Amino acid sequence: MNIWWSTALALVGGLMLLWLLALAALALVLPRGNLLTEAIRLLPDLLRLIPRLARDHTLPRGVRVRLWLLLGYLAMPIDLVPDFIPVLGYADDAIVIAAVLRSVVRHAGPEALARHWPGTDDGLSAIRRLADLPATRT
């Protein structure tokens, strides 16, 4: 019986360590300034953009896989960061979306983002800033 307790404690400890590492990673990619607020405001447009990009067969397969995994994460009822944690609790979805979009735009190009963006030009400019791209439309 003692080996079961030590195995269970090791498993719980490992999961807690992974969760803390995920929190640290989210804090590192946290958009600076008011970009996080803009990303949260643009969340409905972002949620329409992601499936459009994921269905675009002209994009590399790895990009589409990342987008489908992001959609799966967003569909999960359990958040990576509980909502009672200040700032990160409510912003974890926006942070994860921003990190994936940065990766997608770096691999697929800003043209794909502009081609599929469902919102306004101001919203596209905010998304370009979030992805570390120039704010002008191509």
Side-chain angles (χ1 to χ4, degrees):
M1 191 69 155
N2 192 15
I3 194 163
W4 293 108
W5 279 107
S6 60
T7 304
L9 286 175
L11 182 63
V12 169
L15 288 174
M16 288 187 70
L17 180 63
L18 285 174
W19 182 75
L20 288 173
L21 289 172
L23 280 179
L26 281 177
L28 288 175
V29 298
L30 179 70
R32 303 294 177 227
N34 65 349
L35 283 178
L36 181 61
T37 306
E38 288 183 72
I40 292 171
R41 181 178 54 83
L42 294 170
L43 205 53
D45 288 334
L46 286 169
L47 292 176
R48 288 195 312 266
L49 172 70
I50 293 166
R52 289 179 181 187
L53 285 169
R55 288 189 301 263
D56 185 352
H57 291 289
T58 63
L59 299 180
R61 180 178 302 220
V63 168
R64 293 193 324 262
V65 167
R66 272 181 241 147
L67 290 164
W68 284 112
L69 289 173
L70 174 63
L71 285 171
Y73 170 77
L74 293 173
M76 285 187 338
I78 300 170
D79 281 344
L80 179 63
V81 181
D83 291 338
F84 64 83
I85 295 177
V87 181
L88 286 177
Y90 289 107
D92 64 331
D93 290 342
I95 295 168
V96 170
I97 288 172
V100 171
L101 272 182
R102 285 180 189 158
S103 172
V104 165
V105 169
R106 287 184 182 134
H107 288 90
E111 299 81 22
L113 180 68
R115 188 172 60 240
H116 292 288
W117 178 248
T120 64
D121 286 340
D122 290 338
L124 180 58
S125 294
I127 296 305
R128 287 177 176 274
R129 285 192 307 275
L130 199 61
D132 294 329
L133 295 171
T136 60
R137 191 172 198 150
T138 58

